[in-house]
Amino acid sequence: MWLFGRKGASGFSSSSTAEQVTEGIDGTGFTAIVTGASSGIGTETTRVLALRGVHVIMGVRNMLAAKDVKETILKEIPSAKVDAMELDLSSMKSVRKFASEFKSSGLPLNILILSKDKIELQFATNHIGHFLLTNLLLDTIKKTSRESKKEGRIVNVSSEAHRFAYSEGICFDKINDESSYNNWRAYGQSKLANILHANELTRRLKEDGVDISANSLHPGTITTNLFRHNSAVNGLINVIGRLVLKNVQQGAATTCYVALHPQVKGISGKYFSDSNLAKTTAQGTDSDLAKKLWDFSMDLTK
């Protein structure tokens, strides 16, 4: 349990949980897609959105794990509306299939939450898959927003790791260059891409005059998925982690806050942490870099 949380302007802090930041909010009639929903903070995000009345579609690779998640949620919340659809963000074919099947379902789409429940050092998974899925579902979100007269929300789960991207931010000419590859820098690059994607999407949505926001966020460092491959470090984390790191309920808070809270209405192209507005690096607000990334991503997904 995080002990050192100080409340920000929103009234919430690093110790706030997803249930606390959504208390009293009625999401009945809303439909949300949550990727990476079969474990960790993705599962908790799904549970809390369902608790607030949102119909949640889990986009997952492991359908058996998703079945277990759904059953667990229904035991706690019998009235919950939770469904699962297969989605592998590292495969453009899978992303296109998912988007096609969702659109064929005729369901509305109010909220799109793009998150990962594990650290994967693949630019294609952490950014390109999200980029393509968003583009394929954008018309559905726009249609839902127009017909419901309610703001649509696109939420990119990024990370403070964006601060450790390569010096040039995005290595457009070396995305697949093994000779210059660095695991941590590559992960930071993909998380910076999540922020830039939300920023450029905001600019384009404003030009279109639609009532849809796009924001990015840092969920916090979670005790359950850190240093899991290092037994010595993991042992130390188990001892002190509960005091200084977030649990899953706290880790899902900012995602749920940005997705549902009225305080976020009308706010777009921003970065959040601990359920409050936060600052990125200079690269995270570079509009030229954001546009270049958009064009680069469009070329890759044609």
Side-chain angles (χ1 to χ4, degrees), residues 149-184:
K149 293 182 171 51
K150 293 179 181 177
E151 180 187 59
R153 296 189 184 185
I154 298 170
V155 183
N156 281 359
V157 179
S158 180
S159 169
E160 281 292 277
H162 80 275
R163 300 182 186 280
F164 306 106
Y166 295 105
S167 58
E168 58 267 59
I170 309 293
C171 296
F172 295 104
D173 299 326
K174 300 179 181 179
I175 290 295
N176 296 314
D177 185 356
E178 293 182 6
S179 65
S180 61
Y181 184 84
N182 176 281
N183 283 359
W184 188 240

Side-chain angles (χ1 to χ4, degrees), residues 7-19:
K7 289 184 179 180
S10 68
F12 303 114
S13 71
S14 56
S15 64
S16 299
T17 66
E19 284 197 28

Side-chain angles (χ1 to χ4, degrees), residues 93-117:
K93 181 180 179 181
S94 176
V95 172
R96 294 183 189 279
K97 182 173 182 287
F98 174 92
S100 176
E101 290 179 351
F102 179 82
K103 286 189 283 189
S104 295
S105 73
L107 287 169
L109 182 57
N110 305 88
I111 304 167
L112 177 59
I113 298 177
L114 304 161
S115 66
K116 294 299 298 174
D117 54 4

